[in-house]
Amino acid sequence: MRIVSARVIVTCPGRNFVTLKIVTSSGLTGVGDATLNGREMAVVAYLREHVVPALIGRDPARIEDTWQFLYRGAYWRRGPVTMTAVAAVDTALWDIKGKVAGLPVYQLLGGRSRSGVLVYGHASGPDIAGVLDSVSTLVASGYQAVRVQSGIPGLSSVYGVSSDPVYEPASSALPATSVWSTTRYLGYIPTVFEAVRASFGPSLRLLHDAHHRLSPVEAAQLGKALEAYGLTWLEDPVPAEDQSAYRLLRRHTTTPLAVGEVFNSVWDCLGLISEHLIDYIRTSVVHAGGITHLRRIFDLAALYQVRSGSHGASDLSPVCMAAALHVDVAIPNFGLQEYMPHTPETDAVFPHGYRFADGYLHPSEEPGLGVDIDEELAARYPYRPAALPVNRLEDGTLHDW
Ligand code: CS2
Ligand code: MG
């Protein structure tokens, strides 16, 4: 069997998604997610110009060799654009291998380690009352773990907080500006968690995402202030380029830490994992080199008792979610999976067999990944440029997010 063609499909059923579909000489096909929020067309060009031509004629069974060819074989390697393109190829080849074997991909990864994949949902509101309503809705739908984000008095908008049930930070063609104050945030967030814990009791798992906005000592203060509320994790407290910041944080708080949604390779995670500086590694199939490389990262993490907590925002397509669930159900050190349901339009473009029940997601039992793209329907939703916002302090200084 040979690869005879590979199509890069861009569609916007409410938001942009990039999908690679590999076609083999036997007629079997495989799909991989290649979506990089706000930088979609960079991955499209990387795939179309530099990857697809080199795939034609290759044996689709040689997943590892193809991964090494695209990563090790490239002089300019790593980085989000490259690794998203590599991920799309890798994911599609695992899909094909599953179809050839007649098995769901998780069986090829060693079979089940658990009956389902525990997910966390997203609660947010403009203030404490709104947050409590939002958490109630999730708990009533069966969620056992909830990420809590809140509006902050004095700030007109906060990233990740929206009255719209569909979470979509990338909206305008050019980056919108949001205004941030760490002082206002640090003063309010512990009161939100105090109220949520008091209303929902000790067993609901609670998480919070600081979106890389704090300095090391501010993050240490927040971690300490949240200790009383028993979080499952505090995510991305500081920009992770300065990984030594985590040494400082660890000296001051036992609130568990989760990092890695913007990481692309095992090299990005190595220090944080091997120094026991984090508790959950949030790398994803689509942004960390596909199933092959994500598995490598999670195996490293297992050596240091770090568990998986893969990114699963709605800008990662159902193809990525399908693939993530096969990994999640198979690995020994699974922690939690992020889950934001996609819109009905997106679900229709990507027919899939995974399902949610009682706080868990369950992978498809079909051979391969159990997800596809309806190309005719996809063509009805042309690409629309959409950028993520930028964040400025109240005096106008550009800030991290
Ligand atoms: C967030 C995401 O889900 C998360 O934890 O950090 O909303 C992230 O900002 C987006 O996926 C970026 O594309
Ligand atoms: Mg995050």
PDB file of all heavy atoms in Angstrom, residues 15 36-38 120 122 147 159-160 167-170 209 211-212 233 235-236 261-262 282 287 311-316 338 340 388 401, ligand 1:
ATOM      1  N   ARG A  15     -16.022  28.298  13.225  1.00  0.00           N
ATOM      2  CA  ARG A  15     -14.631  28.683  13.496  1.00  0.00           C
ATOM      3  C   ARG A  15     -13.754  27.890  12.521  1.00  0.00           C
ATOM      4  O   ARG A  15     -14.208  26.928  11.913  1.00  0.00           O
ATOM      5  CB  ARG A  15     -14.251  28.404  14.940  1.00  0.00           C
ATOM      6  CG  ARG A  15     -14.097  26.961  15.266  1.00  0.00           C
ATOM      7  CD  ARG A  15     -13.082  26.619  16.327  1.00  0.00           C
ATOM      8  NE  ARG A  15     -12.415  27.753  16.916  1.00  0.00           N
ATOM      9  CZ  ARG A  15     -11.292  28.301  16.421  1.00  0.00           C
ATOM     10  NH1 ARG A  15     -10.688  27.771  15.367  1.00  0.00           N
ATOM     11  NH2 ARG A  15     -10.747  29.345  17.011  1.00  0.00           N
ATOM     12  N   LEU A  36      -4.186  25.339  14.028  1.00  0.00           N
ATOM     13  CA  LEU A  36      -3.395  26.156  14.949  1.00  0.00           C
ATOM     14  C   LEU A  36      -4.102  27.507  15.019  1.00  0.00           C
ATOM     15  O   LEU A  36      -4.015  28.316  14.086  1.00  0.00           O
ATOM     16  CB  LEU A  36      -1.961  26.286  14.422  1.00  0.00           C
ATOM     17  CG  LEU A  36      -0.957  27.002  15.325  1.00  0.00           C
ATOM     18  CD1 LEU A  36      -0.773  26.283  16.666  1.00  0.00           C
ATOM     19  CD2 LEU A  36       0.395  27.109  14.606  1.00  0.00           C
ATOM     20  N   ASN A  37      -4.809  27.716  16.125  1.00  0.00           N
ATOM     21  CA  ASN A  37      -5.735  28.839  16.247  1.00  0.00           C
ATOM     22  C   ASN A  37      -5.079  30.178  15.908  1.00  0.00           C
ATOM     23  O   ASN A  37      -4.087  30.575  16.528  1.00  0.00           O
ATOM     24  CB  ASN A  37      -6.269  28.866  17.688  1.00  0.00           C
ATOM     25  CG  ASN A  37      -7.562  29.649  17.822  1.00  0.00           C
ATOM     26  OD1 ASN A  37      -8.120  30.106  16.829  1.00  0.00           O
ATOM     27  ND2 ASN A  37      -8.033  29.783  19.043  1.00  0.00           N
ATOM     28  N   GLY A  38      -5.646  30.878  14.940  1.00  0.00           N
ATOM     29  CA  GLY A  38      -5.141  32.199  14.561  1.00  0.00           C
ATOM     30  C   GLY A  38      -3.932  32.158  13.639  1.00  0.00           C
ATOM     31  O   GLY A  38      -3.483  33.200  13.149  1.00  0.00           O
ATOM     32  N   TYR A 120     -13.068  17.499  32.074  1.00  0.00           N
ATOM     33  CA  TYR A 120     -13.554  18.670  32.809  1.00  0.00           C
ATOM     34  C   TYR A 120     -14.250  19.625  31.850  1.00  0.00           C
ATOM     35  O   TYR A 120     -13.843  19.798  30.709  1.00  0.00           O
ATOM     36  CB  TYR A 120     -12.457  19.367  33.608  1.00  0.00           C
ATOM     37  CG  TYR A 120     -11.365  20.060  32.834  1.00  0.00           C
ATOM     38  CD1 TYR A 120     -11.482  21.407  32.494  1.00  0.00           C
ATOM     39  CD2 TYR A 120     -10.199  19.392  32.492  1.00  0.00           C
ATOM     40  CE1 TYR A 120     -10.461  22.076  31.820  1.00  0.00           C
ATOM     41  CE2 TYR A 120      -9.178  20.045  31.817  1.00  0.00           C
ATOM     42  CZ  TYR A 120      -9.320  21.380  31.478  1.00  0.00           C
ATOM     43  OH  TYR A 120      -8.315  22.024  30.807  1.00  0.00           O
ATOM     44  N   HIS A 122     -16.293  23.574  31.331  1.00  0.00           N
ATOM     45  CA  HIS A 122     -15.944  24.986  31.547  1.00  0.00           C
ATOM     46  C   HIS A 122     -17.094  25.761  32.136  1.00  0.00           C
ATOM     47  O   HIS A 122     -18.132  25.902  31.508  1.00  0.00           O
ATOM     48  CB  HIS A 122     -15.574  25.633  30.219  1.00  0.00           C
ATOM     49  CG  HIS A 122     -14.223  25.220  29.765  1.00  0.00           C
ATOM     50  ND1 HIS A 122     -13.169  26.083  29.712  1.00  0.00           N
ATOM     51  CD2 HIS A 122     -13.750  24.027  29.387  1.00  0.00           C
ATOM     52  CE1 HIS A 122     -12.099  25.434  29.310  1.00  0.00           C
ATOM     53  NE2 HIS A 122     -12.427  24.183  29.098  1.00  0.00           N
ATOM     54  N   ARG A 147     -13.669  23.517  35.288  1.00  0.00           N
ATOM     55  CA  ARG A 147     -12.751  24.664  35.316  1.00  0.00           C
ATOM     56  C   ARG A 147     -13.583  25.910  35.568  1.00  0.00           C
ATOM     57  O   ARG A 147     -14.612  26.114  34.909  1.00  0.00           O
ATOM     58  CB  ARG A 147     -12.026  24.784  33.970  1.00  0.00           C
ATOM     59  CG  ARG A 147     -10.964  25.862  33.976  1.00  0.00           C
ATOM     60  CD  ARG A 147     -10.348  26.074  32.603  1.00  0.00           C
ATOM     61  NE  ARG A 147     -11.016  27.149  31.895  1.00  0.00           N
ATOM     62  CZ  ARG A 147     -10.521  27.752  30.807  1.00  0.00           C
ATOM     63  NH1 ARG A 147      -9.369  27.361  30.297  1.00  0.00           N
ATOM     64  NH2 ARG A 147     -11.187  28.715  30.216  1.00  0.00           N
ATOM     65  N   TYR A 159     -10.515  37.079  29.525  1.00  0.00           N
ATOM     66  CA  TYR A 159     -10.337  35.969  28.592  1.00  0.00           C
ATOM     67  C   TYR A 159     -10.904  34.680  29.194  1.00  0.00           C
ATOM     68  O   TYR A 159     -10.652  34.365  30.350  1.00  0.00           O
ATOM     69  CB  TYR A 159      -8.848  35.787  28.292  1.00  0.00           C
ATOM     70  CG  TYR A 159      -8.586  34.749  27.239  1.00  0.00           C
ATOM     71  CD1 TYR A 159      -8.764  35.047  25.895  1.00  0.00           C
ATOM     72  CD2 TYR A 159      -8.208  33.466  27.582  1.00  0.00           C
ATOM     73  CE1 TYR A 159      -8.548  34.097  24.919  1.00  0.00           C
ATOM     74  CE2 TYR A 159      -7.985  32.511  26.613  1.00  0.00           C
ATOM     75  CZ  TYR A 159      -8.157  32.830  25.290  1.00  0.00           C
ATOM     76  OH  TYR A 159      -7.958  31.878  24.325  1.00  0.00           O
ATOM     77  N   GLY A 160     -11.672  33.957  28.389  1.00  0.00           N
ATOM     78  CA  GLY A 160     -12.223  32.681  28.870  1.00  0.00           C
ATOM     79  C   GLY A 160     -13.550  32.844  29.580  1.00  0.00           C
ATOM     80  O   GLY A 160     -14.130  31.857  30.011  1.00  0.00           O
ATOM     81  N   TYR A 167     -17.590  28.856  23.342  1.00  0.00           N
ATOM     82  CA  TYR A 167     -16.363  29.543  23.760  1.00  0.00           C
ATOM     83  C   TYR A 167     -15.549  29.868  22.523  1.00  0.00           C
ATOM     84  O   TYR A 167     -15.123  28.957  21.813  1.00  0.00           O
ATOM     85  CB  TYR A 167     -15.624  28.561  24.661  1.00  0.00           C
ATOM     86  CG  TYR A 167     -14.298  28.995  25.214  1.00  0.00           C
ATOM     87  CD1 TYR A 167     -14.234  29.717  26.393  1.00  0.00           C
ATOM     88  CD2 TYR A 167     -13.114  28.630  24.586  1.00  0.00           C
ATOM     89  CE1 TYR A 167     -13.017  30.074  26.931  1.00  0.00           C
ATOM     90  CE2 TYR A 167     -11.893  28.984  25.123  1.00  0.00           C
ATOM     91  CZ  TYR A 167     -11.854  29.702  26.288  1.00  0.00           C
ATOM     92  OH  TYR A 167     -10.646  30.055  26.831  1.00  0.00           O
ATOM     93  N   GLU A 168     -15.390  31.151  22.203  1.00  0.00           N
ATOM     94  CA  GLU A 168     -14.639  31.482  20.989  1.00  0.00           C
ATOM     95  C   GLU A 168     -13.818  32.743  21.165  1.00  0.00           C
ATOM     96  O   GLU A 168     -14.311  33.852  20.926  1.00  0.00           O
ATOM     97  CB  GLU A 168     -15.608  31.618  19.808  1.00  0.00           C
ATOM     98  CG  GLU A 168     -14.885  31.816  18.494  1.00  0.00           C
ATOM     99  CD  GLU A 168     -13.703  30.869  18.348  1.00  0.00           C
ATOM    100  OE1 GLU A 168     -13.930  29.721  17.975  1.00  0.00           O
ATOM    101  OE2 GLU A 168     -12.547  31.249  18.619  1.00  0.00           O
ATOM    102  N   PRO A 169     -12.572  32.594  21.608  1.00  0.00           N
ATOM    103  CA  PRO A 169     -11.742  33.778  21.804  1.00  0.00           C
ATOM    104  C   PRO A 169     -11.238  34.424  20.513  1.00  0.00           C
ATOM    105  O   PRO A 169     -10.897  35.602  20.514  1.00  0.00           O
ATOM    106  CB  PRO A 169     -10.567  33.264  22.644  1.00  0.00           C
ATOM    107  CG  PRO A 169     -10.531  31.795  22.421  1.00  0.00           C
ATOM    108  CD  PRO A 169     -11.921  31.367  22.071  1.00  0.00           C
ATOM    109  N   ALA A 170     -11.175  33.654  19.404  1.00  0.00           N
ATOM    110  CA  ALA A 170     -10.668  34.225  18.150  1.00  0.00           C
ATOM    111  C   ALA A 170     -11.855  34.680  17.320  1.00  0.00           C
ATOM    112  O   ALA A 170     -12.516  33.862  16.687  1.00  0.00           O
ATOM    113  CB  ALA A 170      -9.858  33.178  17.386  1.00  0.00           C
ATOM    114  N   ASP A 209      -7.551  28.383  35.246  1.00  0.00           N
ATOM    115  CA  ASP A 209      -6.522  28.702  34.247  1.00  0.00           C
ATOM    116  C   ASP A 209      -6.128  30.167  34.396  1.00  0.00           C
ATOM    117  O   ASP A 209      -6.978  31.060  34.265  1.00  0.00           O
ATOM    118  CB  ASP A 209      -7.110  28.443  32.851  1.00  0.00           C
ATOM    119  CG  ASP A 209      -6.072  28.476  31.749  1.00  0.00           C
ATOM    120  OD1 ASP A 209      -4.954  28.954  31.999  1.00  0.00           O
ATOM    121  OD2 ASP A 209      -6.387  28.024  30.624  1.00  0.00           O
ATOM    122  N   HIS A 211      -3.835  31.551  32.457  1.00  0.00           N
ATOM    123  CA  HIS A 211      -3.460  32.034  31.118  1.00  0.00           C
ATOM    124  C   HIS A 211      -2.152  32.816  31.074  1.00  0.00           C
ATOM    125  O   HIS A 211      -2.073  33.872  30.431  1.00  0.00           O
ATOM    126  CB  HIS A 211      -4.588  32.888  30.522  1.00  0.00           C
ATOM    127  CG  HIS A 211      -5.712  32.063  29.990  1.00  0.00           C
ATOM    128  ND1 HIS A 211      -6.992  32.106  30.484  1.00  0.00           N
ATOM    129  CD2 HIS A 211      -5.738  31.126  29.026  1.00  0.00           C
ATOM    130  CE1 HIS A 211      -7.749  31.258  29.840  1.00  0.00           C
ATOM    131  NE2 HIS A 211      -7.013  30.636  28.949  1.00  0.00           N
ATOM    132  N   HIS A 212      -1.146  32.282  31.773  1.00  0.00           N
ATOM    133  CA  HIS A 212       0.232  32.809  31.646  1.00  0.00           C
ATOM    134  C   HIS A 212       0.406  34.257  32.084  1.00  0.00           C
ATOM    135  O   HIS A 212       1.314  34.940  31.621  1.00  0.00           O
ATOM    136  CB  HIS A 212       0.739  32.731  30.190  1.00  0.00           C
ATOM    137  CG  HIS A 212       0.278  31.582  29.377  1.00  0.00           C
ATOM    138  ND1 HIS A 212       1.032  30.449  29.197  1.00  0.00           N
ATOM    139  CD2 HIS A 212      -0.859  31.357  28.679  1.00  0.00           C
ATOM    140  CE1 HIS A 212       0.389  29.596  28.423  1.00  0.00           C
ATOM    141  NE2 HIS A 212      -0.765  30.121  28.101  1.00  0.00           N
ATOM    142  N   TRP A 233      -6.094  21.477  39.759  1.00  0.00           N
ATOM    143  CA  TRP A 233      -4.902  22.155  39.233  1.00  0.00           C
ATOM    144  C   TRP A 233      -5.112  23.641  39.023  1.00  0.00           C
ATOM    145  O   TRP A 233      -6.230  24.111  38.827  1.00  0.00           O
ATOM    146  CB  TRP A 233      -4.365  21.496  37.978  1.00  0.00           C
ATOM    147  CG  TRP A 233      -5.004  21.751  36.637  1.00  0.00           C
ATOM    148  CD1 TRP A 233      -5.388  22.941  36.089  1.00  0.00           C
ATOM    149  CD2 TRP A 233      -5.279  20.762  35.633  1.00  0.00           C
ATOM    150  NE1 TRP A 233      -5.870  22.746  34.820  1.00  0.00           N
ATOM    151  CE2 TRP A 233      -5.818  21.427  34.509  1.00  0.00           C
ATOM    152  CE3 TRP A 233      -5.080  19.380  35.553  1.00  0.00           C
ATOM    153  CZ2 TRP A 233      -6.195  20.754  33.341  1.00  0.00           C
ATOM    154  CZ3 TRP A 233      -5.460  18.713  34.390  1.00  0.00           C
ATOM    155  CH2 TRP A 233      -6.009  19.393  33.318  1.00  0.00           C
ATOM    156  N   GLU A 235      -3.631  26.225  36.287  1.00  0.00           N
ATOM    157  CA  GLU A 235      -3.015  26.058  34.963  1.00  0.00           C
ATOM    158  C   GLU A 235      -2.279  27.315  34.518  1.00  0.00           C
ATOM    159  O   GLU A 235      -2.774  28.431  34.727  1.00  0.00           O
ATOM    160  CB  GLU A 235      -4.155  25.745  33.991  1.00  0.00           C
ATOM    161  CG  GLU A 235      -3.759  25.606  32.545  1.00  0.00           C
ATOM    162  CD  GLU A 235      -4.976  25.242  31.703  1.00  0.00           C
ATOM    163  OE1 GLU A 235      -5.930  24.612  32.241  1.00  0.00           O
ATOM    164  OE2 GLU A 235      -4.986  25.579  30.510  1.00  0.00           O
ATOM    165  N   ASP A 236      -1.157  27.122  33.863  1.00  0.00           N
ATOM    166  CA  ASP A 236      -0.397  28.199  33.233  1.00  0.00           C
ATOM    167  C   ASP A 236      -0.313  29.464  34.085  1.00  0.00           C
ATOM    168  O   ASP A 236      -0.667  30.555  33.639  1.00  0.00           O
ATOM    169  CB  ASP A 236      -1.006  28.541  31.859  1.00  0.00           C
ATOM    170  CG  ASP A 236      -0.693  27.473  30.826  1.00  0.00           C
ATOM    171  OD1 ASP A 236       0.351  26.815  30.944  1.00  0.00           O
ATOM    172  OD2 ASP A 236      -1.500  27.295  29.892  1.00  0.00           O
ATOM    173  N   GLU A 261      -0.082  23.431  27.246  1.00  0.00           N
ATOM    174  CA  GLU A 261      -0.907  23.456  26.026  1.00  0.00           C
ATOM    175  C   GLU A 261      -0.186  24.137  24.867  1.00  0.00           C
ATOM    176  O   GLU A 261      -0.497  23.865  23.716  1.00  0.00           O
ATOM    177  CB  GLU A 261      -2.270  24.101  26.289  1.00  0.00           C
ATOM    178  CG  GLU A 261      -2.207  25.573  26.642  1.00  0.00           C
ATOM    179  CD  GLU A 261      -3.574  26.170  26.936  1.00  0.00           C
ATOM    180  OE1 GLU A 261      -4.365  25.539  27.656  1.00  0.00           O
ATOM    181  OE2 GLU A 261      -3.849  27.271  26.443  1.00  0.00           O
ATOM    182  N   VAL A 262       0.789  25.013  25.162  1.00  0.00           N
ATOM    183  CA  VAL A 262       1.519  25.644  24.056  1.00  0.00           C
ATOM    184  C   VAL A 262       2.853  24.935  23.769  1.00  0.00           C
ATOM    185  O   VAL A 262       3.619  25.392  22.928  1.00  0.00           O
ATOM    186  CB  VAL A 262       1.763  27.155  24.298  1.00  0.00           C
ATOM    187  CG1 VAL A 262       0.456  27.920  24.413  1.00  0.00           C
ATOM    188  CG2 VAL A 262       2.609  27.390  25.532  1.00  0.00           C
ATOM    189  N   ARG A 282      -0.044  19.256  29.819  1.00  0.00           N
ATOM    190  CA  ARG A 282      -1.233  19.542  29.021  1.00  0.00           C
ATOM    191  C   ARG A 282      -1.015  19.478  27.507  1.00  0.00           C
ATOM    192  O   ARG A 282      -1.793  20.022  26.722  1.00  0.00           O
ATOM    193  CB  ARG A 282      -1.775  20.924  29.415  1.00  0.00           C
ATOM    194  CG  ARG A 282      -2.571  20.798  30.682  1.00  0.00           C
ATOM    195  CD  ARG A 282      -3.254  22.048  31.107  1.00  0.00           C
ATOM    196  NE  ARG A 282      -3.951  22.810  30.099  1.00  0.00           N
ATOM    197  CZ  ARG A 282      -5.109  22.470  29.556  1.00  0.00           C
ATOM    198  NH1 ARG A 282      -5.716  21.361  29.907  1.00  0.00           N
ATOM    199  NH2 ARG A 282      -5.667  23.249  28.644  1.00  0.00           N
ATOM    200  N   HIS A 287      -0.915  19.675  18.759  1.00  0.00           N
ATOM    201  CA  HIS A 287       0.175  20.664  18.863  1.00  0.00           C
ATOM    202  C   HIS A 287       1.483  20.081  19.363  1.00  0.00           C
ATOM    203  O   HIS A 287       2.463  20.810  19.517  1.00  0.00           O
ATOM    204  CB  HIS A 287      -0.274  21.848  19.742  1.00  0.00           C
ATOM    205  CG  HIS A 287      -1.476  22.542  19.175  1.00  0.00           C
ATOM    206  ND1 HIS A 287      -2.521  22.991  19.927  1.00  0.00           N
ATOM    207  CD2 HIS A 287      -1.798  22.822  17.877  1.00  0.00           C
ATOM    208  CE1 HIS A 287      -3.437  23.530  19.133  1.00  0.00           C
ATOM    209  NE2 HIS A 287      -3.017  23.441  17.888  1.00  0.00           N
ATOM    210  N   HIS A 311      -4.930  19.475  26.618  1.00  0.00           N
ATOM    211  CA  HIS A 311      -5.692  20.608  26.094  1.00  0.00           C
ATOM    212  C   HIS A 311      -6.796  20.067  25.189  1.00  0.00           C
ATOM    213  O   HIS A 311      -6.535  19.174  24.371  1.00  0.00           O
ATOM    214  CB  HIS A 311      -4.702  21.456  25.275  1.00  0.00           C
ATOM    215  CG  HIS A 311      -5.223  22.752  24.780  1.00  0.00           C
ATOM    216  ND1 HIS A 311      -4.657  23.367  23.680  1.00  0.00           N
ATOM    217  CD2 HIS A 311      -6.203  23.570  25.210  1.00  0.00           C
ATOM    218  CE1 HIS A 311      -5.282  24.523  23.473  1.00  0.00           C
ATOM    219  NE2 HIS A 311      -6.221  24.671  24.387  1.00  0.00           N
ATOM    220  N   GLY A 312      -7.999  20.613  25.317  1.00  0.00           N
ATOM    221  CA  GLY A 312      -9.099  20.145  24.460  1.00  0.00           C
ATOM    222  C   GLY A 312     -10.116  21.240  24.240  1.00  0.00           C
ATOM    223  O   GLY A 312     -11.317  20.992  24.238  1.00  0.00           O
ATOM    224  N   ALA A 313      -9.617  22.489  24.069  1.00  0.00           N
ATOM    225  CA  ALA A 313     -10.532  23.607  23.791  1.00  0.00           C
ATOM    226  C   ALA A 313     -11.193  23.378  22.436  1.00  0.00           C
ATOM    227  O   ALA A 313     -10.747  22.538  21.641  1.00  0.00           O
ATOM    228  CB  ALA A 313      -9.739  24.919  23.790  1.00  0.00           C
ATOM    229  N   SER A 314     -12.244  24.160  22.151  1.00  0.00           N
ATOM    230  CA  SER A 314     -13.014  23.897  20.926  1.00  0.00           C
ATOM    231  C   SER A 314     -12.268  24.316  19.660  1.00  0.00           C
ATOM    232  O   SER A 314     -12.737  24.053  18.561  1.00  0.00           O
ATOM    233  CB  SER A 314     -14.378  24.576  21.000  1.00  0.00           C
ATOM    234  OG  SER A 314     -14.220  25.894  21.456  1.00  0.00           O
ATOM    235  N   ASP A 315     -11.082  24.946  19.786  1.00  0.00           N
ATOM    236  CA  ASP A 315     -10.304  25.214  18.573  1.00  0.00           C
ATOM    237  C   ASP A 315      -9.438  24.013  18.180  1.00  0.00           C
ATOM    238  O   ASP A 315      -8.734  24.057  17.171  1.00  0.00           O
ATOM    239  CB  ASP A 315      -9.459  26.488  18.709  1.00  0.00           C
ATOM    240  CG  ASP A 315      -8.620  26.543  19.975  1.00  0.00           C
ATOM    241  OD1 ASP A 315      -9.179  26.827  21.045  1.00  0.00           O
ATOM    242  OD2 ASP A 315      -7.412  26.276  19.888  1.00  0.00           O
ATOM    243  N   LEU A 316      -9.491  22.936  18.962  1.00  0.00           N
ATOM    244  CA  LEU A 316      -8.894  21.665  18.548  1.00  0.00           C
ATOM    245  C   LEU A 316     -10.063  20.864  17.967  1.00  0.00           C
ATOM    246  O   LEU A 316     -11.115  20.745  18.604  1.00  0.00           O
ATOM    247  CB  LEU A 316      -8.261  20.934  19.743  1.00  0.00           C
ATOM    248  CG  LEU A 316      -6.916  21.505  20.246  1.00  0.00           C
ATOM    249  CD1 LEU A 316      -7.054  22.910  20.797  1.00  0.00           C
ATOM    250  CD2 LEU A 316      -6.324  20.611  21.301  1.00  0.00           C
ATOM    251  N   GLU A 338      -9.443  17.859  28.942  1.00  0.00           N
ATOM    252  CA  GLU A 338     -10.309  19.027  28.772  1.00  0.00           C
ATOM    253  C   GLU A 338     -11.346  18.736  27.690  1.00  0.00           C
ATOM    254  O   GLU A 338     -11.037  18.120  26.672  1.00  0.00           O
ATOM    255  CB  GLU A 338      -9.459  20.238  28.347  1.00  0.00           C
ATOM    256  CG  GLU A 338     -10.271  21.502  28.148  1.00  0.00           C
ATOM    257  CD  GLU A 338      -9.419  22.717  27.782  1.00  0.00           C
ATOM    258  OE1 GLU A 338      -8.227  22.532  27.429  1.00  0.00           O
ATOM    259  OE2 GLU A 338      -9.950  23.844  27.849  1.00  0.00           O
ATOM    260  N   MET A 340     -14.657  20.722  25.628  1.00  0.00           N
ATOM    261  CA  MET A 340     -15.651  21.759  25.320  1.00  0.00           C
ATOM    262  C   MET A 340     -16.400  21.248  24.126  1.00  0.00           C
ATOM    263  O   MET A 340     -15.789  21.074  23.068  1.00  0.00           O
ATOM    264  CB  MET A 340     -14.935  23.019  24.819  1.00  0.00           C
ATOM    265  CG  MET A 340     -14.432  23.931  25.835  1.00  0.00           C
ATOM    266  SD  MET A 340     -13.678  25.304  24.912  1.00  0.00           S
ATOM    267  CE  MET A 340     -12.540  25.827  26.117  1.00  0.00           C
ATOM    268  N   LEU A 388      -6.613  35.640  17.710  1.00  0.00           N
ATOM    269  CA  LEU A 388      -6.761  35.686  19.169  1.00  0.00           C
ATOM    270  C   LEU A 388      -6.485  37.122  19.647  1.00  0.00           C
ATOM    271  O   LEU A 388      -5.751  37.857  18.986  1.00  0.00           O
ATOM    272  CB  LEU A 388      -5.781  34.705  19.823  1.00  0.00           C
ATOM    273  CG  LEU A 388      -6.199  33.234  19.709  1.00  0.00           C
ATOM    274  CD1 LEU A 388      -5.028  32.317  20.008  1.00  0.00           C
ATOM    275  CD2 LEU A 388      -7.368  32.932  20.635  1.00  0.00           C
ATOM    276  N   TRP A 401      -0.581  36.620  27.854  1.00  0.00           N
ATOM    277  CA  TRP A 401      -1.864  35.975  28.156  1.00  0.00           C
ATOM    278  C   TRP A 401      -1.731  34.506  27.858  1.00  0.00           C
ATOM    279  O   TRP A 401      -0.823  34.110  27.182  1.00  0.00           O
ATOM    280  CB  TRP A 401      -3.025  36.575  27.369  1.00  0.00           C
ATOM    281  CG  TRP A 401      -3.026  36.278  25.920  1.00  0.00           C
ATOM    282  CD1 TRP A 401      -2.429  37.001  24.943  1.00  0.00           C
ATOM    283  CD2 TRP A 401      -3.629  35.159  25.268  1.00  0.00           C
ATOM    284  NE1 TRP A 401      -2.618  36.421  23.739  1.00  0.00           N
ATOM    285  CE2 TRP A 401      -3.360  35.288  23.905  1.00  0.00           C
ATOM    286  CE3 TRP A 401      -4.389  34.061  25.730  1.00  0.00           C
ATOM    287  CZ2 TRP A 401      -3.810  34.360  22.965  1.00  0.00           C
ATOM    288  CZ3 TRP A 401      -4.826  33.129  24.804  1.00  0.00           C
ATOM    289  CH2 TRP A 401      -4.541  33.284  23.423  1.00  0.00           C
TER     290      TRP A 401
HETATM  291  C1  CS2 B   1      -7.270  27.689  27.073  1.00  0.00           C
HETATM  292  C2  CS2 B   1      -7.577  27.795  25.605  1.00  0.00           C
HETATM  293  O1  CS2 B   1      -8.509  25.700  27.044  1.00  0.00           O
HETATM  294  C3  CS2 B   1      -7.631  26.319  27.615  1.00  0.00           C
HETATM  295  O2  CS2 B   1      -7.057  25.930  28.603  1.00  0.00           O
HETATM  296  O3  CS2 B   1      -6.046  28.104  27.514  1.00  0.00           O
HETATM  297  O4  CS2 B   1      -8.729  28.560  25.516  1.00  0.00           O
HETATM  298  C4  CS2 B   1      -6.550  28.439  24.700  1.00  0.00           C
HETATM  299  O5  CS2 B   1      -6.346  29.770  25.095  1.00  0.00           O
HETATM  300  C5  CS2 B   1      -7.011  28.364  23.285  1.00  0.00           C
HETATM  301  O6  CS2 B   1      -7.209  27.038  22.929  1.00  0.00           O
HETATM  302  C6  CS2 B   1      -6.022  29.040  22.359  1.00  0.00           C
HETATM  303  O7  CS2 B   1      -6.278  28.718  21.052  1.00  0.00           O
END
